[in-house]
């Protein structure tokens, strides 16, 4: 099993009176980069999609559980703390960013990503083969159960990028942490290929 620098989730409370587009990954990263321009200089970040209540028309309303969560190396926490107290302009919605808390990654035998993308991954069979290749590169056993779920898209600039929901089961704790740390596929800074535990 490959060894990685310990990662953590830096989780900020966020509030907004305006609805947020469900597909907000690209715009959210842009908003963060306007406040912290060197965000573009690192690949060592995953940004989890902000959760909220679905209100229709592909929009969500934030609630008390909504968080802006950055998955980062534990040594990089100070780099992202200046987001606290700032306002992020995300596709017309103003998000007030509160005080963060640091959460350790929790290894679970089953993990899920709402949307993962790969290069030339429009075809499901090709996508699945690439995800399996990346799992193997992380040292994940072939006995792990990979399930490709709903086809989804993320808008990047004016382009619709195709991906899929991914669930992986039967993992050891070390395998679970490896995938949660490194992610699978691309565009982790836009919320893709970032995995959380299924309880």
């Amino acid at each position: 099993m490959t060894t990685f620098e310990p990662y953590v989730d830096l989780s900020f409370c966020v509030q907004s009176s305006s609805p947020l587009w469900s597909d907000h990954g690209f715009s959210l990263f842009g908003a963060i980069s306007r406040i912290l321009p060197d965000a573009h200089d690192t690949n060592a970040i995953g940004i989890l999609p902000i959760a909220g209540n679905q209100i229709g028309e592909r929009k969500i309303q934030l609630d008390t559980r909504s968080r802006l969560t950055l998955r980062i190396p534990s040594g990089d926490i100070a780099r992202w703390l200046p987001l606290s107290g700032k306002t992020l302009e995300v596709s017309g919605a103003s998000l007030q960013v509160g005080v963060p808390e640091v959460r350790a990654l929790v290894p679970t035998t089953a993990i899920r990503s709402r949307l993962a993308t790969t290069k030339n991954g429009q075809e499901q069979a090709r996508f699945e083969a690439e995800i399996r290749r990346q799992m193997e590169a992380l040292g994940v056993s072939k006995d792990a159960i990979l399930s490709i779920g709903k086809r989804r898209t993320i808008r990047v600039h004016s382009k619709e990028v195709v991906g899929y929901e991914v669930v992986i089961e039967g993992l050891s704790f070390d395998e679970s942490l490896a995938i949660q740390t490194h992610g699978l596929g691309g565009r982790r800074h836009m919320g893709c290929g970032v995995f959380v535990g299924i309880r």
Side-chain angles (χ1 to χ4, degrees):
M1 177 63 58
T2 306
T3 301
F4 299 100
E5 177 183 357
Y7 270 54
V8 296
D9 282 348
L10 186 64
S11 182
F12 298 83
C13 296
V14 285
Q15 296 180 330
S16 177
S17 58
S18 302
L20 181 67
W21 290 103
S22 299
D23 179 8
H24 56 260
F26 175 72
S27 180
L28 178 60
F29 180 65
I32 291 172
S33 299
R34 285 191 288 274
I35 293 173
L36 298 175
D38 66 348
H40 282 288
D41 299 334
T42 178
N43 292 321
I45 179 174
I47 302 177
L48 279 71
I50 297 174
N53 294 314
Q54 295 287 341
I55 58 174
E57 298 182 345
R58 301 183 70 179
K59 291 186 177 182
I60 59 173
Q61 186 67 55
L62 304 192
D63 58 27
T64 56
R65 300 167 297 170
S66 298
R67 296 289 186 274
L68 166 61
T69 302
L70 311 181
R71 184 158 297 171
I72 57 174
S74 57
D76 282 0
I77 291 173
R79 178 179 189 174
W80 304 99
L81 290 179
L83 288 174
S84 180
K86 298 297 193 298
T87 300
L88 300 177
E89 299 295 335
V90 182
S91 297
S94 295
L95 274 60
Q96 304 296 322
V97 182
V99 176
E101 60 181 4
V102 178
R103 301 173 178 173
L105 301 186
V106 178
T108 58
T109 59
I111 56 177
R112 171 186 178 269
S113 175
R114 181 183 180 276
L115 168 63
T117 65
T118 63
K119 186 176 181 180
N120 301 318
Q122 297 92 334
E123 297 178 10
Q124 183 170 331
R126 193 169 183 174
F127 171 86
E128 181 173 344
E130 176 59 19
I131 292 296
R132 288 191 181 278
R133 186 194 68 78
Q134 293 185 22
M135 288 169 59
E136 183 176 350
L138 291 175
V140 176
S141 168
K142 293 182 179 179
D143 293 334
I145 302 168
L146 173 63
S147 300
I148 307 300
K150 186 176 180 180
R151 186 178 189 267
R152 303 183 189 276
T153 61
I154 179 173
R155 181 171 289 275
V156 179
H157 296 293
S158 58
K159 182 182 179 182
E160 292 279 349
V161 177
V162 174
Y164 297 87
E165 178 183 11
V166 176
V167 173
I168 307 171
E169 300 172 279
L171 297 168
S172 70
F173 280 5
D174 284 346
E175 291 168 342
S176 178
L177 284 178
I179 297 176
Q180 289 185 60
T181 295
H182 191 72
L184 296 171
R187 302 180 178 87
R188 292 179 63 239
H189 57 296
M190 299 180 191
C192 302
V194 184
F195 285 78
V196 296
I198 301 173
R199 300 186 181 279

